[in-house]
Amino acid sequence: MNQENKENYFKFEENNIGYTITSYHRRGDASITTIEIPAVYNEKPVTEIGNCGFLEATFLKSVFIPESITQIGFEAFSCCESLETIILPSGLTVILDECFSSCKSLQSIEIPEGVTEIGEYAFNSCYMLERVTLPQSLKVIGQRVFSSDRNLLEINLPDNLEELERDVFANSEQVCVYYKGKTYTQNNMGDLYLLFQS
C-alpha cells in the first residue's frame, strides 16, 4: 500500500516514536472486509491504534496488525460486529477498556505474552467467542472483561494473576474457569472472586 492509499484508508497523527492511526476512513464501505494496517508511514513506524480508531467498522471480518503496534486504544475495535479474526502483535503490554467490546462474531483470541493488564469490558458481549488464551505475564483482569460471552466454554487463568475484578464472567453461563488446579463455573464463581479480595 503506497502513501496515497494509506491516507485514503487511515488518518495518521505523529507521536513521540512514529505515528498513531486515529481513524479508519472506510468503516462504512461494505466491499472491504479485510484490512492490513501498515507498519510504516512517512518512513516512520506506526506504533499505535488510537482510541475508537476502528469503532463500528461493521463490515470488517479480518484485521492484520503489524508487529510495530505496541498500543491499541480504548474502544479501538468496539462494535466491529463482523470481525471474526484478529491476531494481536507481540509488543502489546495492555489491552485497554472496551477494546473489543461487542465484537459479536469474534470466535477466538490469543492474548500475547507480555500483556500484563486487560481493561474493563474489553471482550464484553462477544457472543461467538469460544476460546481465549491468556499469557502467563497477565496480572490484572478488569471488571466484566468476559461478561455476556455466552459461547465461551473454558479459560485458564495464569497462576501469577494478581487482580480479578468481580463479575468478570457475568452472564457467561457456559464458561469453566481453571485456576491453580480448581474448576469454577457459575455455581461457584463467587469463590473464585473471593480469592482476589484484599
Side-chain angles (χ1 to χ4, degrees):
M1 186 181 285
N2 61 33
Q3 195 88 344
E4 183 178 353
N5 278 339
K6 290 175 185 178
E7 292 170 356
N8 285 337
Y9 281 82
F10 310 104
K11 180 181 179 181
F12 297 88
E13 288 186 6
E14 200 160 3
N15 59 43
N16 292 332
I17 303 171
Y19 283 91
T20 300
I21 289 178
T22 60
S23 183
Y24 171 57
H25 297 320
R26 312 295 285 273
R27 69 186 65 203
D29 190 340
S31 68
I32 301 173
T33 59
T34 299
I35 194 76
E36 184 173 347
I37 294 171
V40 177
Y41 177 73
N42 272 347
E43 299 182 352
K44 291 184 178 181
V46 178
T47 61
E48 299 178 11
I49 298 172
N51 295 341
C52 305
F54 288 78
L55 177 68
E56 296 180 348
T58 55
F59 299 107
L60 286 181
K61 292 184 178 181
S62 300
V63 177
F64 296 91
I65 301 177
E67 288 296 307
S68 62
I69 296 291
T70 59
Q71 181 170 315
I72 299 175
F74 169 80
E75 284 192 329
F77 292 94
S78 183
C79 298
C80 291
E81 296 184 353
S82 300
L83 187 64
E84 297 174 356
T85 304
I86 190 161
I87 298 175
L88 300 178
S90 60
L92 279 184
T93 57
V94 177
I95 295 175
L96 296 180
D97 296 357
E98 299 184 54
C99 191
F100 298 96
S101 179
S102 297
C103 288
K104 298 178 180 179
S105 300
L106 189 66
Q107 297 173 22
S108 65
I109 190 75
E110 182 173 349
I111 311 298
E113 199 64 46
V115 170
T116 59
E117 181 176 351
I118 302 177
E120 296 180 357
Y121 292 84
F123 295 94
N124 169 68
S125 296
C126 293
Y127 297 145
M128 299 302 293
L129 187 63
E130 292 184 3
R131 297 178 304 280
V132 175
T133 304
L134 300 179
Q136 290 301 311
S137 58
L138 188 63
K139 302 297 184 185
V140 178
I141 299 178
Q143 183 179 5
R144 290 184 176 267
V145 166
F146 298 107
S147 63
S148 299
D149 294 349
R150 57 195 181 201
N151 281 313
L152 184 60
L153 299 177
E154 62 180 51
I155 191 165
N156 288 280
L157 300 182
D159 288 348
N160 295 323
L161 190 67
E162 295 174 358
E163 295 182 32
L164 181 76
E165 298 290 341
R166 292 192 69 87
D167 297 326
V168 166
F169 301 102
N171 302 316
S172 297
E173 299 298 334
Q174 297 191 73
V175 69
C176 289
V177 182
Y178 303 104
Y179 179 64
K180 292 188 174 180
K182 293 186 178 181
T183 302
Y184 299 89
T185 66
Q186 293 300 341
N187 292 329
N188 64 341
M189 199 70 73
D191 295 340
L192 174 63
Y193 297 135
L194 284 173
L195 296 177
F196 293 90
Q197 300 303 305
S198 55

